[in-house]
Amino acid sequence: MSQRLTIALDAMGGDKGPDMVIAGADIARERHPQVHYLLFGDTARIEPLLAQRPALRAVAEVRHTPDAVAGDAKPSVALRAGRQSSMRLAIDSVAGGQAACVVSAGNTGALMAMAKFVLKTIPGIDRPAIASFFPTLRGESVMLDLGANTECQPENLVQFAVMGAVFARTALSLSEPTIGVLNIGSEEVKGNEVVRAAATRLREMPLPGRFHGFVEGNDIATGTVDVIVTDGFTGNVALKTAEGTAKLFTEFLRRTFQSSWTARLGYLLARGAFKRLKQRTDPRRYNGAMFLGLRGVCVKSHGGTDAIGFANAIGVAYNLAANGFNDRIKEEMQRLGDAKPLPDTKAAAV
């Protein structure tokens, strides 16, 4: 793609900002040379880093702010006290039309609170959702919500399904993504009233994809569907469980290959295969969670990622902004608004 656009970066966000942010932006610059960057943060710390990267310096502008949102700050406190923070001013630049999108590796709760307050939600969207990619046996899938909404009504899940399908079509180039609602079983009678009501509506709707039905936890890794829809509580638990399982498996492998000299020899013989496995499951490849449903593209990078991971998050933001992702969401929500409204159903326990 050759479209020129400006990306705002919270240079102070993340465990290793601004060093990681600047290094990541330099990698992204090589991939997307037509992008201009607005870097929000402490000039005294940013400028020396840019001086080491003249090619990035030529396409970057620094907006000074001495304030940064702490990693452990409560969202409500950050929203009130962080008006001049690097995170808030980066978001403001999107709202003001100075940037097409914003990327931050900072405090997730604060970023969501600020982005929702400043950017507002797209008409027809009640709540924004956090979406990201999952590696599967079939390739990649999209899962949402991953933590923004711990409790949901059926209409929220319906909206998540529409946004997730558009996200998959835009980011994964899928013409007709399959959509599934995460449940405790695949049978239609399983689950609580919320997921059953949402599934009933999704079966009747003209979706930007094909509704598969209910999926279970083991379907996430197998790639049974392209888009997995759930509430933020369940989605966040699933995400953290998958991350923990991957670390456990990696540690088991390390200990196994160190257990004897024959095991070490086996590793040497299979080293190429394990290198490919590591590349396939590298979490940096899937870095960049999108806040869907806002009137502006906002991408959250993992706070502990490195420059490669942050560059990938920038790539996600660029792809969505350059392909008019929000305009596609608006079009689909208009179609949703023309459909029969879903009855107001309260959440019920399983």
Side-chain angles (χ1 to χ4, degrees), residues 144-160:
L144 72 164
D145 178 29
L146 296 179
N149 307 279
T150 56
E151 295 182 2
C152 293
Q153 296 299 316
E155 188 65 21
N156 301 133
L157 298 183
V158 170
Q159 294 170 8
F160 295 170

Side-chain angles (χ1 to χ4, degrees), residues 248-298:
L248 177 66
F249 182 71
T250 300
E251 180 60 20
F252 280 168
L253 278 178
R254 186 187 68 81
R255 293 183 183 183
T256 298
F257 283 119
Q258 292 180 346
S259 61
S260 66
W261 70 267
T262 54
R264 292 188 179 93
L265 177 61
Y267 170 76
L268 291 176
L269 295 174
R271 184 166 51 183
F274 281 110
K275 183 178 180 180
R276 291 190 294 272
L277 173 63
K278 183 179 179 180
Q279 293 173 342
R280 180 69 179 85
T281 59
D282 188 345
R284 298 177 301 179
R285 288 188 57 186
Y286 310 98
N287 188 45
M290 172 66 182
F291 289 175
L292 304 184
L294 298 174
R295 298 189 187 188
V297 174
C298 180

Side-chain angles (χ1 to χ4, degrees), residues 42 61 100 111 134 153 203 245 278 317 334 348:
D42 187 350
E61 177 183 347
L111 183 64
F134 264 74
Q153 296 299 316
R203 292 188 186 97
T245 301
K278 183 179 179 180
Q334 180 62 50

Side-chain angles (χ1 to χ4, degrees), residues 82-330:
R83 297 177 182 176
Q84 294 301 311
S85 66
S86 56
M87 180 184 291
R88 174 61 183 272
L89 294 180
I91 297 171
D92 286 348
S93 70
V94 176
Q98 300 171 344
C101 50
V102 56
V103 183
S104 174
N107 183 313
T108 303
L111 183 64
M112 173 59 82
M114 287 183 178
K116 186 176 181 180
F117 178 79
V118 174
L119 300 176
K120 312 302 181 185
T121 56
I122 292 173
I125 300 295
D126 298 322
R127 302 178 187 177
I130 301 176
S132 190
F133 305 108
F134 264 74
T136 74
L137 293 177
R138 293 176 55 242
E140 294 178 352
S141 64
V142 173
M143 187 169 177
L144 72 164
D145 178 29
L146 296 179
N149 307 279
T150 56
E151 295 182 2
C152 293
Q153 296 299 316
E155 188 65 21
N156 301 133
L157 298 183
V158 170
Q159 294 170 8
F160 295 170
V162 174
M163 293 191 295
V166 176
F167 184 51
R169 292 175 68 173
T170 305
L172 300 179
S173 300
L174 299 175
S175 59
E176 189 182 28
T178 53
I179 306 162
V181 174
L182 191 61
N183 199 356
I184 59 173
S186 59
E187 300 87 350
E188 293 185 11
V189 296
K190 290 289 185 72
N192 59 34
E193 191 176 353
V194 172
V195 296
R196 293 201 307 269
T200 298
R201 176 69 188 279
L202 289 169
R203 292 188 186 97
E204 302 171 349
M205 289 178 55
L207 294 167
R210 179 171 57 84
F211 183 58
H212 171 85
F214 291 134
V215 293
E216 301 178 69
N218 58 331
D219 289 307
I220 298 174
T222 57
T224 301
V225 294
D226 302 309
V227 180
I228 302 164
V229 178
T230 186
D231 61 83
F233 183 91
T234 306
N236 192 267
V237 171
L239 173 65
K240 299 296 175 58
T241 301
E243 291 176 343
T245 301
K247 291 179 181 179
L248 177 66
F249 182 71
T250 300
E251 180 60 20
F252 280 168
L253 278 178
R254 186 187 68 81
R255 293 183 183 183
T256 298
F257 283 119
Q258 292 180 346
S259 61
S260 66
W261 70 267
T262 54
R264 292 188 179 93
L265 177 61
Y267 170 76
L268 291 176
L269 295 174
R271 184 166 51 183
F274 281 110
K275 183 178 180 180
R276 291 190 294 272
L277 173 63
K278 183 179 179 180
Q279 293 173 342
R280 180 69 179 85
T281 59
D282 188 345
R284 298 177 301 179
R285 288 188 57 186
Y286 310 98
N287 188 45
M290 172 66 182
F291 289 175
L292 304 184
L294 298 174
R295 298 189 187 188
V297 174
C298 180
V299 171
K300 170 67 173 70
S301 167
H302 195 292
T305 193
D306 62 8
I308 295 175
F310 194 78
N312 289 337
I314 293 175
V316 171
Y318 172 79
N319 189 21
L320 296 175
N323 285 287
F325 171 73
N326 276 355
D327 290 336
R328 298 186 183 188
I329 288 287
K330 292 175 184 177

